[in-house]
Amino acid sequence: MSVEINYIKHLNGVFEHFSKDNRLNPTHISLYVALFQLWNSNFFRQEFYINREEVMEYAKIGSKSTYHKCLKELSYWSYIVYIPSHNPFKGSKIKMFDFGTSSGQVVNQSCTNIKTSNGQAVVPINKHIQTIKNAKNKNKQQNFKNSNFQDSNGNKQIATVPYQDNLKTSTDKNYDDPL
């Protein structure tokens, strides 16, 4: 069974969600776009099967662990539904949601019939997985610049790092200069 999807409205809608979601990185977005392309080539069926190698190639992902991590996170964050097959001869199952309407309401309610939904695709807008900030490394570079070292004779020396700006990462860079 296929769902009517407006290609442009869907991409505009999902990219609007992406722009508000700080959990996503470029790999998540690349993976989602690859899955969307496969969904399109499967005529926007309610669910479809994927081949890991094919999806990794489309998304330009080189690591299996990165692929699986991002796929599981997209599913956990309700961008897709990922049902792994655990069978090397049968692809995993993917269900996609319609992000093509401004209210977030799914056009075809059977699109979210996954036994946990009331017919509406729910994507948390700003719910983030809480992580502990690493306060130890916060001022590491500043502390390194201000630290003193002793040489083999016991003389204090100021630490310096030669060629600190090889990549010209300073704010006063000239964009006409080659890297």
Side-chain angles (χ1 to χ4, degrees):
M1 177 179 167
S2 295
V3 181
E4 272 192 44
I5 300 294
N6 182 313
Y7 194 98
I8 301 299
K9 284 185 178 180
H10 177 89
L11 285 179
N12 286 339
V14 80
F15 281 125
E16 184 178 330
H17 282 280
F18 289 167
S19 70
K20 296 175 185 175
D21 193 341
N22 294 328
R23 301 169 296 186
L24 298 171
N25 65 40
T27 309
H28 291 103
I29 296 169
S30 174
L31 179 58
Y32 183 89
V33 170
L35 292 172
F36 179 75
Q37 187 60 35
L38 288 168
W39 189 32
N40 179 33
S41 65
N42 280 282
F43 306 105
F44 297 111
R45 288 193 183 109
Q46 183 175 341
E47 55 190 43
F48 60 100
Y49 292 92
I50 58 171
N51 174 288
R52 178 178 42 81
E53 289 84 11
E54 181 182 32
V55 176
M56 286 177 65
E57 186 177 326
Y58 282 169
K60 305 296 185 212
I61 298 173
S63 164
K64 290 179 190 176
S65 60
T66 299
Y67 165 79
H68 286 292
K69 175 184 169 286
C70 289
L71 199 56
K72 288 174 185 175
E73 288 173 342
L74 285 174
S75 184
Y76 182 77
W77 297 329
S78 301
Y79 284 98
I80 63 170
V81 175
Y82 167 60
I83 304 164
S85 71
H86 304 293
N87 181 343
F89 302 106
K90 182 179 179 184
S92 297
K93 191 186 300 185
I94 298 291
K95 293 182 182 183
M96 304 282 283
F97 299 118
D98 182 4
F99 287 93
T101 58
S102 60
S103 67
Q105 183 80 23
V106 174
V107 175
N108 183 342
Q109 292 196 2
S110 65
C111 187
T112 60
N113 188 12
I114 59 171
K115 299 183 179 93
T116 60
S117 174
N118 63 0
Q120 184 171 354
V122 180
V123 177
I125 293 174
N126 285 325
K127 292 196 174 189
H128 306 290
I129 296 174
Q130 297 296 319
T131 59
I132 299 171
K133 290 186 178 179
N134 187 350
K136 290 181 183 177
N137 293 331
K138 188 176 182 181
N139 297 318
K140 192 177 218 176
Q141 186 175 11
Q142 187 63 34
N143 291 341
F144 182 75
K145 286 181 181 177
N146 295 334
S147 63
N148 294 328
F149 294 98
Q150 291 184 356
D151 63 11
S152 59
N153 296 331
N155 299 327
K156 285 192 174 187
Q157 295 196 356
I158 296 174
T160 60
V161 178
Y163 313 112
Q164 288 185 10
D165 200 17
N166 281 342
L167 295 177
K168 298 186 182 189
T169 57
S170 62
T171 56
D172 59 336
K173 70 172 103 176
N174 181 353
Y175 288 98
D176 294 326
D177 288 344
L179 291 177

